[in-house]
Amino acid sequence: MKINLNPVADPQTQIIVALDFPSAREAIDLCDRLPQVGFWKVGLELFIADGSTVLRELKARNKKIFLDLKLHDIPNTVASATRVATKYGADFLTIHASGGRAMMQAAQAEVAGSSTQLLAVSLLTSISAEALKSDLQVPLEVPDYVSKLVLLAQASGLSGAVCSPHEVAKLRSLLKSTGGDEFCFVTPGVRPAGSAVGDQSRVMTPKEAIAAGANYLVIGRPINAAPDPVVAWEQICQDLT
């Protein structure tokens, strides 16, 4: 069954909490402390450390899973990795849109008939406009570059994209002309007011990101590194109401 791309108004259904830990024990401990969280992100660090254990545990608890592996390789390799990843029963799996149309289409073919939906990572939220031009040598402005990648992902058959909340409003408007009303946007780089930005360059508060048109928010350090994750979670949910 496909995951609901337009969650109901209950704010906690729109938050994906990142299990950014180096061990299954620490990840499961946070799950125990926050049983009300229904959607969890498993990223590279945890997946490499003990991914199968954590994913099995989340499935046993009937939780939704955002498997954030950001696959990026030649089409055959990404297709093979996607085929394996779908066996974990993740709801979302990420691949890099910059891998190109052939790579995305090859991966999309592997999720057909499964419960996994592919999301295209556009531009990492740690990359600033200056870094895009000077380091990556891309002459476009950030919104224009992201738009091109997201449109390519949509044309390749993917269900949604991961992008900064700063680009969501423009993309929502842009996709209306291409029949993309159901396209899902998952936004990292979300920080409650007053939180440390860390290594993120393009951020918004949770309320601003939802207002911009995001379907789901990925929130990590403001919750998992908080002195009291339960209080942090409850405050973010309250701020969204």
Side-chain angles (χ1 to χ4, degrees):
M1 180 180 294
K2 290 286 187 180
I3 192 170
N4 181 14
L5 299 184
N6 294 289
V8 295
D10 183 354
Q12 69 183 43
T13 67
Q14 296 178 278
I15 301 172
I16 301 173
V17 179
L19 290 171
D20 293 334
F21 297 106
S23 72
R25 180 188 58 78
E26 292 167 279
I28 293 170
D29 179 64
L30 185 63
C31 293
D32 288 337
R33 296 185 67 183
L34 288 169
Q36 61 270 56
V37 174
F39 214 148
W40 295 95
K41 188 199 90 167
V42 175
L44 278 175
E45 179 186 24
L46 181 57
F47 185 77
I48 292 172
D50 209 351
S52 59
T53 298
V54 174
L55 294 171
R56 283 197 301 268
E57 186 67 30
L58 291 174
K59 293 297 289 185
R61 297 176 185 216
N62 200 30
K63 302 298 184 181
K64 295 184 176 68
I65 300 171
F66 175 29
L67 187 53
D68 190 23
L69 301 184
K70 298 183 177 71
L71 301 175
H72 191 173
D73 212 309
I74 63 173
N76 184 67
T77 298
V78 170
S80 297
T82 299
R83 188 183 316 123
V84 174
T86 59
K87 296 177 182 178
Y88 288 110
D91 298 279
F92 289 152
L93 171 68
T94 54
I95 64 175
H96 269 288
S98 57
R101 185 188 301 268
M103 188 201 81
M104 287 191 283
Q105 289 179 334
Q108 181 60 33
E110 295 297 336
V111 301
S114 75
S115 62
T116 302
Q117 296 182 72
L118 286 183
L119 300 180
V121 175
S122 55
L123 184 68
L124 299 175
T125 52
S126 60
I127 297 177
S128 64
E130 293 75 18
L132 181 66
K133 291 181 179 179
S134 62
D135 295 346
L136 301 185
Q137 294 292 294
V138 174
L140 300 175
E141 296 297 324
V142 167
D144 296 329
Y145 181 63
V146 170
S147 295
K148 287 184 177 296
L149 290 175
V150 170
L151 286 173
L152 181 62
Q154 183 199 30
S156 300
L158 273 66
S159 298
V162 179
C163 63
S164 159
H166 285 269
E167 286 95 52
V168 172
K170 177 182 177 180
L171 289 166
R172 277 275 175 232
S173 177
L174 185 64
L175 289 176
K176 282 184 179 179
S177 63
T178 60
D181 290 342
E182 296 301 312
F183 203 72
C184 180
F185 286 104
V186 177
T187 59
V190 176
R191 292 288 185 271
S195 294
V197 173
D199 56 0
Q200 303 287 350
S201 294
R202 306 185 329 274
V203 302
M204 275 189 182
T205 67
K207 197 165 189 175
E208 290 171 338
I210 292 296
N215 297 91
Y216 295 94
L217 314 177
V218 179
I219 303 179
R221 282 166 283 186
I223 294 174
N224 62 42
D228 188 332
V230 176
V231 171
W233 161 262
E234 291 174 347
Q235 184 61 57
I236 289 171
C237 289
Q238 183 178 339
D239 290 345
L240 280 173
T241 57

